[in-house]
Amino acid sequence: MQGIMYLGGISAIIFIIGIFVFIAKEGLPFLFGAFDLKEFFTSPRWIPTSENNPTYGALALILGTASVTGMAMIVAIPFSLGAAIFIGEFATGKTRETLKILIELLAAIPSVVWGFIGLTIMNGLIIKLFNVPIGLNVLNAGIILGLMAAPIMTTIAEDSLKAVPDKYREAAEAMGATRWQTIRRVVLPAAKNGLVSAVLLGVGRGFGETMAVLMASGHSINIPHSVFDSVRALTATIAAELGETAVGSPHYGALFTLGILLFIITFLINLTADLVVRGIRKK
Amino acid sequence: MPQAPPDAGPDAPSTPPAPPVLEVENLSIRYGDVSALRNVSLSVHEHEIFGIIGPANSGKTSFLKTLNRMDRFESHMRVEGHIRFLGRDVRAWRNVYALRQHIGVVFPLPVGLPLSIYDNVALSPRLRGVTDRRELDVIVERCLTRAALWDEVKDRLDSLGSLLSGGQQQRLTIARALSQDPALLLLDEFSIAVDPVTTMRIEDVLKELRKEMTIIMVTNLVQQARRLADRTAFFLTGDCVEIGRTDDLFEGKVKDPRTYDYILGRFG
Ligand SMILES: Nc1ncnc2c1ncn2[C@@H]1O[C@H](COP(=O)(O)OP(=O)(O)OP(=O)(O)O)[C@@H](O)[C@H]1O
Ligand SMILES: [Mg+2]
């Protein structure tokens, strides 16, 4: 048993290192060739297919991913926290079970379906409601992504509320706290580790999601100035362009560099999650 | 809250009786088919320490739980009879939260909330709407001092209350109960997780507190009842066998011989 677990742990580490090595290897020739660090991070011009003067500015892509993820969290945090509090603290019996199943069903919807919803329903809705020319933008992709991230965030948040022992609720209520005061002043602070990791997991989901964002964001290179601007995400760029590049070309390498960037960002998010949770624990 | 009458000492109950803080009439408690308490009637007077002794499963904790209506956490708990607190039926209180604010509770196993020490004690004032930091500071220091904990924690009020030692957590819960400024303090076997020295310190605190509030103390240490309680009730498997002046009971002036047997430890 211990052996199997040991093997699992080791192989997980080997896989991660292997993936990183692979991505790095494909990206390296570009990194030491046409790559210009300053251009990569400060230029919004992502024109890898230009015949005579290809540029590889990833700023717009980075901001595209960041804005969509930010929008998604604005949607998902209140939604998932509210749902978790309702399911964990107020709902009982049948209601609770039904809601939990519903949330799990929501989590099982494939991302292409979400993308389709964004492309059709949400697109029309946004155009009509806000009277804008195009409904495929930060708002659309953010809402779609928020709804996609919410179920898993809800589940984790609810688990962390459930992990708060009842004796704390009992003690607070014995002092005359109402249900709501108990939740706000005792349960939520006690569960904050789990809540923080729920949010960070949602952020990670946001950075990594590809298909739905590709379909709902408009996929056009823009530095977003409002939620009604179309943007292009890092992931979507890789997905859309990788199939059309020659292996080993600068464009190919540039896409892998985007991959390295995503890898690093995801790593940093997880590291932050870890540090935050640890920091709270130490206190 | 009414002031202590000048003569409120250990012998006060024999002098003109203060109005009862708590009157219990024919109280019965059941959990489904299990009867936990049958037909208990008693009253507790202002500034009295009222002790309750009795072996395990005699219904002591269940009794305390009904007083501040904590039956919500016991889904199949059924309560019959009347409980009047400060002259009003506890079931008629406009809102149960206000009732609970007047009644401090200390559980057998200390429950330091997973908040900072400061926030533990400031919680109840905050629930009452106190937001001024200086006012809170004063309350926190006063309650921690009176619970004999201030000196040990004054330099780390920001650390988690749930990380204190058992004995410290118990004093923290007492400080928290005091921060409610309760008229009635319920203590359920408070010394179960506390060392003897700390127990003695808390007992001294309780002797001071009785000047300001009424205390009901469930204890599994009969000598603790002897040291602190003005009157003591003996519960046995759901019956209130006897209520009497503590001094009388411990001198053997009992109506029911089982009481004295229990006091002497000749039981079961
Ligand atoms: N939540 C509950 N559900 C069902 N029965 C219960 C519950 N709590 C207590 N009882 C029963 O009620 C009776 C009285 O229990 P109670 O906890 O009031 O006794 P106690 O005098 O406080 O005992 P101890 O000295 O062990 O704390 C016991 O028979 C017990 O099994
Ligand atoms: Mg008990």
Side-chain angles (χ1 to χ4, degrees):
Chain A
M1 198 55 217
Q2 212 177 358
I4 294 175
M5 266 152 52
Y6 187 69
L7 211 72
I10 291 286
S11 58
I13 293 171
I14 289 174
F15 277 132
I16 290 173
I17 293 175
I19 290 169
F20 187 73
V21 166
F22 170 72
I23 297 176
K25 190 176 123 281
E26 299 294 322
L28 276 183
F30 170 76
L31 273 175
F32 290 111
F35 179 67
D36 174 350
L37 187 76
K38 187 159 167 269
E39 179 192 66
F40 188 75
F41 281 110
T42 58
S43 162
R45 293 165 59 80
W46 178 261
I47 316 174
T49 47
S50 164
E51 286 288 328
N52 29 26
N53 185 22
T55 52
Y56 304 97
L59 181 66
L61 311 180
I62 296 170
L63 290 181
T65 290
S67 59
V68 170
T69 306
M71 186 70 224
M73 288 305 109
I74 291 174
V75 174
I77 291 173
F79 185 90
S80 56
L81 198 62
I85 289 174
F86 184 75
I87 295 174
E89 302 290 319
F90 291 100
T92 49
K94 274 245 161 63
T95 328
R96 202 181 119 82
E97 291 313 308
T98 316
L99 278 171
K100 286 190 81 152
I101 292 171
L102 219 69
I103 297 277
E104 269 158 38
L105 278 180
L106 220 56
I109 298 176
S111 70
V112 67
V113 173
W114 282 112
F116 183 72
I117 294 173
L119 202 57
T120 55
I121 303 173
M122 291 286 298
N123 183 26
L125 214 62
I126 289 174
I127 290 175
K128 228 188 258 157
L129 276 180
F130 298 101
N131 197 20
V132 286
I134 180 156
L136 300 176
N137 48 29
V138 174
L139 183 66
N140 189 335
I143 291 174
I144 291 292
L145 197 57
L147 294 177
M148 289 175 71
I152 182 74
M153 288 168 70
T154 305
T155 306
I156 294 184
E158 202 245 328
D159 282 348
S160 60
L161 295 183
K162 271 278 145 293
V164 175
D166 264 347
K167 63 176 184 180
Y168 295 148
R169 296 180 179 82
E170 202 167 335
E173 290 204 25
M175 296 172 70
T178 60
R179 288 289 284 288
W180 180 242
Q181 287 173 323
T182 303
I183 292 168
R184 196 170 88 73
R185 300 205 176 257
V186 177
V187 179
L188 292 183
K192 65 188 161 192
N193 284 9
L195 299 179
V196 167
S197 54
V199 170
L200 286 167
L201 205 89
V203 173
R205 181 98 164 82
F207 271 89
E209 174 52 36
T210 307
M211 191 42 105
V213 177
L214 176 68
M215 292 165 81
S217 66
H219 199 59
S220 74
I221 294 175
N222 259 320
I223 303 255
H225 294 290
S226 90
V227 293
F228 299 113
D229 285 341
S230 298
V231 290
R232 183 189 284 197
L234 287 167
T235 47
T237 306
I238 300 174
E241 296 178 6
L242 195 58
E244 287 152 24
T245 57
V247 176
S249 68
H251 186 187
Y252 180 85
L255 290 177
F256 271 92
T257 308
L258 293 184
I260 295 174
L261 183 66
L262 265 176
F263 198 98
I264 291 172
I265 292 173
T266 320
F267 179 75
L268 287 181
I269 290 172
N270 284 326
L271 195 71
T272 324
D274 212 51
L275 291 180
V276 168
V277 168
R278 248 178 243 218
I280 290 167
R281 250 191 228 133
K282 214 181 280 161
K283 207 183 152 199
Chain B
M1 217 181 64
Q3 278 305 301
D7 59 347
D11 300 318
S14 54
T15 50
V21 170
L22 185 81
E23 293 166 272
V24 175
E25 250 174 63
N26 293 325
L27 181 71
S28 298
I29 302 170
R30 314 172 55 79
Y31 294 96
D33 295 335
V34 181
S35 161
L37 207 63
R38 284 174 298 277
N39 271 319
V40 171
S41 298
L42 55 83
S43 54
V44 179
H45 303 287
E46 206 171 0
H47 303 295
E48 181 175 35
I49 297 184
F50 188 90
I52 300 178
I53 57 173
N57 291 332
S58 50
K60 309 181 295 291
T61 299
S62 306
F63 175 73
L64 293 187
K65 276 187 180 160
T66 55
L67 300 185
N68 71 338
R69 305 218 20 216
M70 285 302 288
D71 28 306
R72 172 175 109 64
F73 283 90
E74 314 289 347
S75 52
H76 29 249
M77 189 167 173
R78 296 281 167 270
V79 181
E80 278 169 41
H82 292 286
I83 303 169
R84 269 188 297 280
F85 171 63
L86 300 178
R88 281 158 78 191
D89 193 312
V90 294
R91 270 151 217 284
W93 274 66
R94 181 172 36 88
N95 87 42
V96 59
Y97 308 107
L99 167 73
R100 288 178 188 153
Q101 283 183 2
H102 291 289
I103 302 180
V105 188
V106 174
F107 297 99
L109 296 175
V111 183
L113 293 173
L115 308 170
S116 73
I117 293 170
Y118 186 97
D119 289 342
N120 261 278
V121 186
L123 179 60
S124 171
R126 281 178 174 145
L127 295 177
R128 293 197 304 264
V130 180
T131 51
D132 182 61
R133 183 71 188 198
R134 268 165 308 166
E135 200 179 336
L136 288 173
D137 286 349
V138 171
I139 296 175
V140 168
E141 176 168 355
R142 179 165 48 91
C143 295
L144 284 172
T145 306
R146 297 177 69 199
L149 187 59
W150 175 253
D151 288 335
E152 287 162 57
V153 299
K154 62 171 182 252
D155 298 323
R156 48 177 179 135
L157 293 174
D158 288 336
S159 60
L160 272 180
S162 42
L163 296 183
L164 291 172
S165 78
Q168 288 173 326
Q169 279 195 52
Q170 194 58 297
R171 280 175 285 159
L172 182 63
T173 57
I174 291 174
R176 215 170 54 205
L178 296 181
S179 75
Q180 294 172 236
D181 208 357
L184 177 64
L185 181 63
L186 308 179
L187 299 161
D188 192 356
E189 303 187 358
F190 71 87
S191 51
I192 220 169
V194 182
D195 68 276
V197 176
T198 309
T199 300
M200 285 306 168
R201 288 178 69 184
I202 298 177
E203 288 189 9
D204 290 339
V205 170
L206 296 179
K207 285 180 202 155
E208 282 298 309
L209 287 177
R210 72 198 305 281
K211 292 179 190 151
E212 287 159 53
M213 60 190 71
T214 307
I215 299 173
I216 299 181
M217 180 186 69
V218 166
T219 177
N220 50 353
L221 308 170
V222 288
Q223 291 307 322
Q224 190 167 55
R226 178 178 212 172
R227 286 192 293 269
L228 294 174
D230 302 306
R231 289 187 301 149
T232 298
F234 174 50
F235 282 20
L236 180 63
T237 57
D239 294 308
C240 177
V241 174
E242 178 149 10
I243 303 173
R245 288 194 33 173
T246 309
D247 294 341
D248 291 344
L249 298 188
F250 279 81
E251 279 163 23
K253 292 184 212 153
V254 291
K255 291 177 216 109
D256 190 312
R258 287 178 297 176
T259 309
Y260 200 51
D261 284 348
Y262 182 72
I263 286 173
L264 294 181
R266 296 193 220 125
F267 216 81

